[in-house]
Amino acid sequence: PELRQRLVSAAHALTGARSPDVPLATVDARCLPLGRACLGVVRSEWYLLKEAKSRNPAILTYGLSWAWPAWTGNFTNSPWNAPAKAANYTINWLRCARDSHSVDIDYVGSWNERSYSADYLKLLRRELDSNGFPSTRIVAPDSNWGIAGDMLTDPELMDAVDIVGAHYPGMTSSSDAIKTGKLLAASE
C-alpha cells in the first residue's frame, strides 16, 4: 500500500492529476474485445498518454515492444517466427489506443534492444497502410545501425522504415546509416 501510494503520488506529480483514483496496475478491460494486444498496458499508461496529448496536442507518441506474448512467435522465443501474428498484435494495439482511448500513436518500433526482421517490418508497413494507420511511422531496429546495409539493398525495407533507430548510439552512426538518408535516432 505504501509503495502504491508513492507511485500514485508520482503519477499525479507528473500529470497534474488531483484524483487519488488513477489506477496504476489494472488491465484496461475496454481493450479485451480487441484481442490480447492491450493486455500489457495498464490504465495509468493510457491516462498519461491522454493527459500528455490533451496538454500538448502536437506531442508525438512512440510505442516500442519490450516483450512479445509467446503466441505471437508460435510459442518460440521470437515473434519473428510468425511475422503475421506479430504484425496483427501491433495493429490491434494501435486500434486499442485509437478506438478505446482516443490516442493516435505516431511511431512504432520493432523490439527493444533486439534483432529485427525485415519480413516483419515490410509486412507491418503494408498492414499499417491497409488497416487505417498510414501515418504511423516505423522506427527500427532499436539495437544498432546494422539494418542500414539491408535497407540500402532492399527497396521495400527502405520504404518501410521511416527512422533508423539505435539503442544508445552515443554520438556516432555508421556510414550506411547516413547513406539511407533517413532520420537517425536514439530510439529509446
Side-chain angles (χ1 to χ4, degrees):
E2 182 181 328
L3 176 58
R4 183 186 189 290
Q5 185 54 49
R6 287 180 25 215
L7 290 171
V8 169
S9 296
H12 292 170
L14 287 171
T15 64
R18 298 290 179 249
S19 170
D21 299 323
V22 176
L24 282 177
T26 53
V27 173
D28 194 332
R30 290 178 294 177
C31 294
L32 294 177
L34 294 173
R36 302 175 199 174
C38 283
L39 294 179
V41 179
V42 294
R43 286 185 184 164
S44 61
E45 291 169 334
W46 293 122
Y47 174 81
L48 291 173
L49 276 170
K50 287 192 272 191
E51 282 295 309
K53 280 286 197 182
S54 73
R55 292 161 192 239
N56 180 1
I59 197 168
L60 298 175
T61 56
Y62 173 43
L64 175 63
S65 183
W66 279 36
W68 290 85
W71 62 266
T72 61
N74 288 332
F75 297 92
T76 64
N77 288 328
S78 175
W80 309 152
N81 291 320
K85 287 182 180 179
N88 185 55
Y89 178 83
T90 302
I91 295 296
N92 281 335
W93 183 80
L94 291 168
R95 274 193 195 113
C96 176
R98 181 191 65 201
D99 299 344
S100 295
H101 299 284
S102 302
V103 175
D104 290 316
I105 304 298
D106 301 294
Y107 299 92
V108 291
S110 55
W111 195 2
N112 183 57
E113 297 186 71
R114 299 294 182 102
S115 65
Y116 65 92
S117 163
D119 290 338
Y120 166 76
L121 293 168
K122 293 185 281 189
L123 176 61
L124 180 60
R125 177 73 270 154
R126 292 190 302 270
E127 292 296 315
L128 288 167
D129 292 344
S130 66
N131 282 280
F133 300 99
S135 62
T136 300
R137 300 293 171 234
I138 297 175
V139 180
D142 191 64
S143 56
N144 56 44
W145 303 116
I147 194 173
D150 290 340
M151 291 172 65
L152 292 172
T153 60
D154 184 339
E156 187 181 2
L157 182 60
M158 178 70 88
D159 289 342
V161 175
D162 298 286
I163 297 175
V164 180
H167 198 94
Y168 300 130
M171 299 300 289
T172 62
S173 62
S174 72
S175 60
D176 280 350
I178 294 168
K179 287 178 194 172
T180 66
K182 303 281 185 169
L183 179 64
L184 308 180
S187 51
E188 186 194 59

